[in-house]
Amino acid sequence: MSAQRHILILGGTTEARQLAAELAEDPALRVTTSLAGRVARPRLPAGQVRIGGFGGPEGMARWLREQQVDALIDATHPFAGTISFHAAQAAASVHVPLLALRRAGWVPGPGDRWHQVSTLTAAADALPALGGRVFLTTGRMGLATFAHLTDQWFLVRSVDAPEPPMPPRTEILLDRGPFTVEGEAELLRRHRIDVLVTKDSGAAATSAKLVAAREAGVPVVVVQRPPVPDGVPEAADPAAAAEWARALPG
Protein backbone atom coordinates (compact mmCIF):
# COMPACT_ATOMS: atom_id res chain seq x y z
CA MET A 1 0.00 0.00 0.00
CA SER A 2 1.28 3.46 -0.89
CA ALA A 3 2.39 5.69 1.96
CA GLN A 4 0.58 8.56 0.29
CA ARG A 5 -2.91 9.44 1.50
CA HIS A 6 -5.36 9.29 -1.40
CA ILE A 7 -7.72 12.29 -1.65
CA LEU A 8 -10.68 12.12 -4.04
CA ILE A 9 -12.12 15.49 -5.09
CA LEU A 10 -15.54 15.59 -6.71
CA GLY A 11 -14.79 18.49 -9.00
CA GLY A 12 -15.89 20.57 -11.94
CA THR A 13 -15.59 23.96 -10.25
CA THR A 14 -12.92 26.63 -10.05
CA GLU A 15 -12.51 25.89 -6.34
CA ALA A 16 -11.98 22.20 -7.08
CA ARG A 17 -9.17 23.01 -9.53
CA GLN A 18 -7.56 25.38 -7.03
CA LEU A 19 -7.75 22.74 -4.33
CA ALA A 20 -6.29 20.04 -6.58
CA ALA A 21 -3.41 22.31 -7.55
CA GLU A 22 -2.57 23.00 -3.92
CA LEU A 23 -2.86 19.40 -2.72
CA ALA A 24 -0.95 17.99 -5.69
CA GLU A 25 2.15 19.85 -4.49
CA ASP A 26 2.14 17.88 -1.24
CA PRO A 27 4.27 14.72 -1.65
CA ALA A 28 2.33 13.04 1.16
CA LEU A 29 -0.89 13.18 -0.87
CA ARG A 30 -2.17 11.48 -4.00
CA VAL A 31 -4.92 13.58 -5.55
CA THR A 32 -7.64 12.37 -7.91
CA THR A 33 -10.38 14.64 -9.26
CA SER A 34 -13.59 13.12 -10.57
CA LEU A 35 -15.43 15.05 -13.31
CA ALA A 36 -18.99 14.27 -14.37
CA GLY A 37 -18.14 14.56 -18.07
CA ARG A 38 -20.96 16.94 -18.99
CA VAL A 39 -18.61 19.54 -20.51
CA ALA A 40 -16.96 18.58 -23.80
CA ARG A 41 -13.61 20.27 -23.09
CA PRO A 42 -13.28 20.63 -19.32
CA ARG A 43 -10.42 22.49 -17.71
CA LEU A 44 -8.39 19.65 -16.26
CA PRO A 45 -7.02 19.97 -12.73
CA ALA A 46 -3.63 18.98 -11.39
CA GLY A 47 -3.14 15.38 -10.31
CA GLN A 48 -5.02 12.37 -11.59
CA VAL A 49 -8.41 12.71 -13.29
CA ARG A 50 -11.32 10.33 -13.77
CA ILE A 51 -14.31 11.24 -15.94
CA GLY A 52 -17.83 9.88 -15.70
CA GLY A 53 -20.36 8.81 -13.11
CA PHE A 54 -19.93 6.22 -10.40
CA GLY A 55 -23.25 4.44 -10.74
CA GLY A 56 -24.91 5.83 -7.64
CA PRO A 57 -23.75 5.76 -4.02
CA GLU A 58 -23.02 2.04 -4.13
CA GLY A 59 -20.74 2.49 -7.14
CA MET A 60 -18.98 5.41 -5.49
CA ALA A 61 -18.48 3.41 -2.29
CA ARG A 62 -17.01 0.56 -4.31
CA TRP A 63 -14.60 2.97 -6.05
CA LEU A 64 -13.55 4.45 -2.71
CA ARG A 65 -12.72 0.98 -1.43
CA GLU A 66 -10.99 -0.27 -4.57
CA GLN A 67 -8.87 2.87 -4.96
CA GLN A 68 -8.06 2.99 -1.23
CA VAL A 69 -9.34 6.56 -0.85
CA ASP A 70 -8.50 8.06 2.53
CA ALA A 71 -10.69 11.18 2.29
CA LEU A 72 -13.41 12.58 0.04
CA ILE A 73 -13.96 16.27 -0.73
CA ASP A 74 -17.21 17.29 -2.41
CA ALA A 75 -16.30 20.40 -4.42
CA THR A 76 -19.08 20.07 -6.98
CA HIS A 77 -21.24 22.89 -8.32
CA PRO A 78 -24.01 24.03 -5.95
CA PHE A 79 -26.54 22.85 -8.55
CA ALA A 80 -24.87 19.52 -9.33
CA GLY A 81 -27.98 17.72 -8.14
CA THR A 82 -27.83 14.47 -6.22
CA ILE A 83 -24.06 13.91 -6.24
CA SER A 84 -23.63 15.48 -2.78
CA PHE A 85 -26.17 13.05 -1.31
CA HIS A 86 -24.45 10.13 -3.06
CA ALA A 87 -21.12 11.28 -1.64
CA ALA A 88 -22.54 11.44 1.89
CA GLN A 89 -24.02 7.94 1.61
CA ALA A 90 -20.89 6.45 0.04
CA ALA A 91 -18.49 8.02 2.52
CA ALA A 92 -20.57 6.89 5.49
CA SER A 93 -20.85 3.33 4.19
CA VAL A 94 -17.08 2.85 3.87
CA HIS A 95 -16.12 5.12 6.79
CA VAL A 96 -14.18 7.64 4.69
CA PRO A 97 -13.97 11.23 6.04
CA LEU A 98 -16.03 13.66 3.95
CA LEU A 99 -15.73 17.43 3.61
CA ALA A 100 -17.96 19.70 1.50
CA LEU A 101 -16.26 22.68 -0.13
CA ARG A 102 -19.18 25.08 -0.58
CA ARG A 103 -18.75 28.59 -1.91
CA ALA A 104 -20.93 31.27 -0.36
CA GLY A 105 -24.11 32.20 -2.18
CA TRP A 106 -24.87 35.60 -3.64
CA VAL A 107 -26.58 38.20 -1.46
CA PRO A 108 -28.69 41.03 -2.92
CA GLY A 109 -27.53 44.55 -2.20
CA PRO A 110 -28.95 48.07 -2.50
CA GLY A 111 -30.40 48.65 -5.95
CA ASP A 112 -30.81 44.96 -6.82
CA ARG A 113 -34.22 43.95 -8.19
CA TRP A 114 -34.13 40.25 -7.37
CA HIS A 115 -36.98 37.79 -7.65
CA GLN A 116 -35.88 34.67 -5.77
CA VAL A 117 -37.50 31.38 -6.79
CA SER A 118 -36.94 27.78 -5.77
CA THR A 119 -36.90 26.04 -9.17
CA LEU A 120 -36.37 26.61 -12.89
CA THR A 121 -40.09 26.01 -13.37
CA ALA A 122 -40.85 28.88 -11.00
CA ALA A 123 -38.37 31.03 -12.90
CA ALA A 124 -40.16 30.30 -16.18
CA ASP A 125 -43.51 31.11 -14.56
CA ALA A 126 -42.18 34.50 -13.41
CA LEU A 127 -40.91 35.68 -16.79
CA PRO A 128 -44.14 36.81 -18.55
CA ALA A 129 -44.66 39.48 -15.90
CA LEU A 130 -41.06 40.71 -15.96
CA GLY A 131 -39.98 41.16 -19.56
CA GLY A 132 -39.88 39.97 -23.13
CA ARG A 133 -36.11 39.86 -23.79
CA VAL A 134 -34.42 37.40 -21.47
CA PHE A 135 -30.75 36.76 -20.76
CA LEU A 136 -30.78 33.12 -19.61
CA THR A 137 -27.60 31.98 -17.82
CA THR A 138 -28.81 28.83 -16.07
CA GLY A 139 -26.86 26.43 -18.30
CA ARG A 140 -27.85 24.23 -21.20
CA MET A 141 -29.35 21.36 -19.20
CA GLY A 142 -32.60 23.07 -18.18
CA LEU A 143 -33.66 24.80 -21.38
CA ALA A 144 -36.66 22.52 -21.87
CA THR A 145 -38.26 24.19 -18.84
CA PHE A 146 -38.52 27.43 -20.86
CA ALA A 147 -39.46 25.85 -24.22
CA HIS A 148 -43.16 26.69 -23.89
CA LEU A 149 -42.49 30.44 -23.66
CA THR A 150 -43.24 31.62 -27.20
CA ASP A 151 -43.66 35.33 -26.48
CA GLN A 152 -40.21 35.87 -24.96
CA TRP A 153 -36.91 36.18 -26.85
CA PHE A 154 -33.96 34.45 -25.16
CA LEU A 155 -30.23 35.00 -25.22
CA VAL A 156 -28.88 31.70 -23.85
CA ARG A 157 -25.26 31.53 -22.70
CA SER A 158 -23.57 28.19 -22.07
CA VAL A 159 -20.16 26.56 -22.35
CA ASP A 160 -21.32 23.86 -24.79
CA ALA A 161 -24.04 24.08 -27.42
CA PRO A 162 -27.48 23.15 -26.02
CA GLU A 163 -29.85 20.71 -27.66
CA PRO A 164 -33.63 20.96 -28.16
CA PRO A 165 -36.15 21.38 -26.76
CA MET A 166 -35.62 25.08 -26.16
CA PRO A 167 -37.64 28.27 -26.60
CA PRO A 168 -38.47 28.91 -30.27
CA ARG A 169 -37.01 32.44 -30.21
CA THR A 170 -33.49 31.75 -28.95
CA GLU A 171 -30.00 33.02 -29.74
CA ILE A 172 -27.12 30.91 -28.44
CA LEU A 173 -23.96 32.48 -27.03
CA LEU A 174 -21.13 30.00 -26.38
CA ASP A 175 -18.79 31.45 -23.78
CA ARG A 176 -17.05 30.62 -20.54
CA GLY A 177 -16.23 32.92 -17.60
CA PRO A 178 -14.76 34.81 -15.97
CA PHE A 179 -16.77 37.74 -17.27
CA THR A 180 -16.33 41.47 -16.68
CA VAL A 181 -18.93 44.02 -15.63
CA GLU A 182 -18.17 46.04 -18.76
CA GLY A 183 -18.67 43.02 -21.01
CA GLU A 184 -21.91 42.01 -19.31
CA ALA A 185 -23.24 45.57 -19.47
CA GLU A 186 -22.52 45.64 -23.21
CA LEU A 187 -24.45 42.36 -23.66
CA LEU A 188 -27.43 43.81 -21.84
CA ARG A 189 -27.35 46.96 -23.99
CA ARG A 190 -26.70 45.29 -27.33
CA HIS A 191 -29.47 42.73 -26.92
CA ARG A 192 -31.88 45.11 -25.16
CA ILE A 193 -32.25 42.69 -22.25
CA ASP A 194 -35.01 43.51 -19.79
CA VAL A 195 -34.75 40.49 -17.45
CA LEU A 196 -31.88 38.22 -16.37
CA VAL A 197 -32.32 34.64 -15.17
CA THR A 198 -29.54 32.96 -13.21
CA LYS A 199 -28.86 30.31 -10.60
CA ASP A 200 -27.30 31.23 -7.26
CA SER A 201 -23.99 29.60 -8.13
CA GLY A 202 -22.11 32.09 -5.96
CA ALA A 203 -19.11 32.10 -8.28
CA ALA A 204 -17.07 35.28 -8.49
CA ALA A 205 -16.26 34.48 -12.13
CA THR A 206 -19.91 34.89 -13.11
CA SER A 207 -21.12 37.54 -10.65
CA ALA A 208 -20.38 40.47 -13.00
CA LYS A 209 -23.79 40.03 -14.66
CA LEU A 210 -25.46 40.85 -11.34
CA VAL A 211 -23.57 44.12 -11.06
CA ALA A 212 -24.36 44.97 -14.67
CA ALA A 213 -28.05 44.21 -14.12
CA ARG A 214 -28.12 46.36 -10.99
CA GLU A 215 -26.54 49.30 -12.79
CA ALA A 216 -28.94 48.93 -15.72
CA GLY A 217 -32.01 48.53 -13.50
CA VAL A 218 -32.70 45.08 -14.97
CA PRO A 219 -34.66 42.67 -12.75
CA VAL A 220 -33.02 39.34 -11.96
CA VAL A 221 -34.75 36.02 -11.38
CA VAL A 222 -32.47 34.06 -9.04
CA VAL A 223 -32.99 30.32 -8.66
CA GLN A 224 -32.09 29.32 -5.13
CA ARG A 225 -29.81 26.40 -4.35
CA PRO A 226 -31.16 22.89 -3.78
CA PRO A 227 -30.82 21.29 -0.33
CA VAL A 228 -27.58 19.59 0.74
CA PRO A 229 -27.00 16.65 3.11
CA ASP A 230 -27.16 17.38 6.81
CA GLY A 231 -24.22 16.80 9.10
CA VAL A 232 -21.41 17.13 6.54
CA PRO A 233 -18.59 19.45 7.68
CA GLU A 234 -17.99 22.36 5.31
CA ALA A 235 -15.09 24.53 4.17
CA ALA A 236 -15.70 27.97 2.68
CA ASP A 237 -12.64 28.09 0.42
CA PRO A 238 -9.91 25.86 -1.06
CA ALA A 239 -7.34 26.93 1.54
CA ALA A 240 -9.54 25.69 4.39
CA ALA A 241 -10.25 22.45 2.53
CA ALA A 242 -6.53 21.90 1.94
CA GLU A 243 -5.83 22.46 5.63
CA TRP A 244 -8.47 19.86 6.51
CA ALA A 245 -6.93 17.32 4.11
CA ARG A 246 -3.42 17.81 5.44
CA ALA A 247 -4.59 17.48 9.03
CA LEU A 248 -6.07 14.03 8.47
CA PRO A 249 -4.31 11.26 10.39
CA GLY A 250 -1.73 9.38 8.34
Side-chain angles (χ1 to χ4, degrees), residues 7 9 13-27 29-33 43-49 73 75 101 238-239 242 246:
I7 310 296
I9 301 172
T13 60
T14 299
E15 292 86 354
R17 289 191 298 273
Q18 292 171 345
L19 176 61
E22 184 167 349
L23 294 182
E25 295 179 353
D26 191 330
L29 302 177
R30 171 189 166 203
V31 181
T32 302
T33 298
R43 295 172 177 171
L44 297 180
Q48 299 175 328
V49 178
I73 300 178
L101 173 52
R246 294 194 185 99

Side-chain angles (χ1 to χ4, degrees), residues 93-181:
S93 69
V94 295
H95 307 290
V96 168
L98 169 64
L99 178 76
L101 173 52
R102 304 200 196 283
R103 64 174 77 136
W106 290 322
V107 178
D112 283 322
R113 298 171 59 194
W114 284 18
H115 301 263
Q116 294 179 306
V117 297
S118 58
T119 64
L120 285 177
T121 299
D125 291 343
L127 286 179
L130 293 175
R133 297 185 65 83
V134 184
F135 185 17
L136 188 60
T137 65
T138 56
R140 65 189 175 92
M141 304 301 292
L143 281 185
T145 307
F146 301 87
H148 66 286
L149 295 175
T150 58
D151 292 335
Q152 278 71 31
W153 177 90
F154 288 84
L155 175 65
V156 174
R157 182 166 66 194
S158 63
V159 175
D160 293 323
E163 298 180 354
M166 65 181 70
R169 302 170 62 204
T170 295
E171 180 175 331
I172 305 299
L173 174 61
L174 300 182
D175 204 355
R176 188 199 304 254
F179 303 105
T180 66
V181 174

Side-chain angles (χ1 to χ4, degrees), residues 54-65 86 89-90 93-94:
F54 289 94
E58 296 82 6
M60 187 184 298
R62 183 167 54 251
W63 199 93
L64 294 175
R65 283 195 303 268
H86 289 180
Q89 294 174 47
S93 69
V94 295

Side-chain angles (χ1 to χ4, degrees), residues 173-245:
L173 174 61
L174 300 182
D175 204 355
R176 188 199 304 254
F179 303 105
T180 66
V181 174
E182 293 77 13
E184 299 290 66
E186 173 58 25
L187 273 182
L188 297 180
R189 285 193 298 269
R190 186 188 337 141
H191 294 284
R192 295 178 287 116
I193 298 298
D194 46 30
V195 58
L196 166 67
V197 182
T198 187
K199 293 178 178 178
D200 180 17
S201 67
T206 55
S207 63
K209 61 192 171 189
L210 300 175
V211 179
R214 179 192 309 138
E215 293 177 350
V218 170
V220 183
V221 179
V222 181
V223 182
Q224 298 171 324
R225 296 179 177 187
V228 295
D230 293 329
V232 177
E234 297 187 4
D237 53 55
E243 183 178 353
W244 176 87

